[in-house]
């Protein structure tokens, strides 16, 4: 292979972009993309309260911003009750996707 073998008449071509799955389609394994996205966004992440936790500490650790404790409280009002300062060890909270 010589030095000039790299030259061609096609110029600088960009590589083809990977195909994006259509909305509502299926992935390689036949799973529905729309259903998986909707379920994961709605479900969020599960978190078990440990000793010393507060909603602001959980928000700081999970989201990087303690001020986002309101989103955790709103998603778990039925479990926590009317006082967001009163969470109990062992409670299963849902951490919503933000």
């Amino acid at each position: 292979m010589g030095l000039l073998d790299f030259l061609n008449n096609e110029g600088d071509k960009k590589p083809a972009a990977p195909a994006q799955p259509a909305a509502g389609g299926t992935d390689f394994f036949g799973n529905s993309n729309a259903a998986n996205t909707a379920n994961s966004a709605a479900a969020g992440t599960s978190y078990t309260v440990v000793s010393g936790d507060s909603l602001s500490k959980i928000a700081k650790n999970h989201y990087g911003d303690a001020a986002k404790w309101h989103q955790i409280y709103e998603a778990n009002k039925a479990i926590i009750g009317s006082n967001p300062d009163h969470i109990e060890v062992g409670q299963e909270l849902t951490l919503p996707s933000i």
Side-chain angles (χ1 to χ4, degrees):
M1 179 178 257
L3 182 61
L4 298 178
D5 289 341
F6 292 104
L7 298 176
N8 61 32
N9 293 332
E10 296 179 19
D12 292 330
K13 284 188 172 180
K14 293 184 179 181
Q20 297 296 324
T26 58
D27 64 9
F28 178 78
F29 300 104
N31 300 319
S32 171
N33 291 334
N36 289 340
T37 303
N39 289 340
S40 64
T45 304
S46 203
Y47 178 81
T48 304
V49 176
V50 296
S51 180
D53 270 346
S54 67
L55 293 181
S56 60
K57 284 182 185 178
I58 297 168
K60 175 74 174 165
N61 290 337
H62 188 73
Y63 302 121
D65 183 3
K68 296 191 182 218
W69 69 268
H70 292 280
Q71 283 90 342
I72 299 172
Y73 177 61
E74 289 300 320
N76 295 283
K77 228 179 216 184
I79 297 168
I80 297 171
S82 62
N83 185 356
D85 291 327
H86 185 71
I87 58 174
E88 297 179 8
V89 173
Q91 282 180 321
E92 280 288 322
L93 302 179
T94 299
L95 303 179
S97 300
I98 297 178

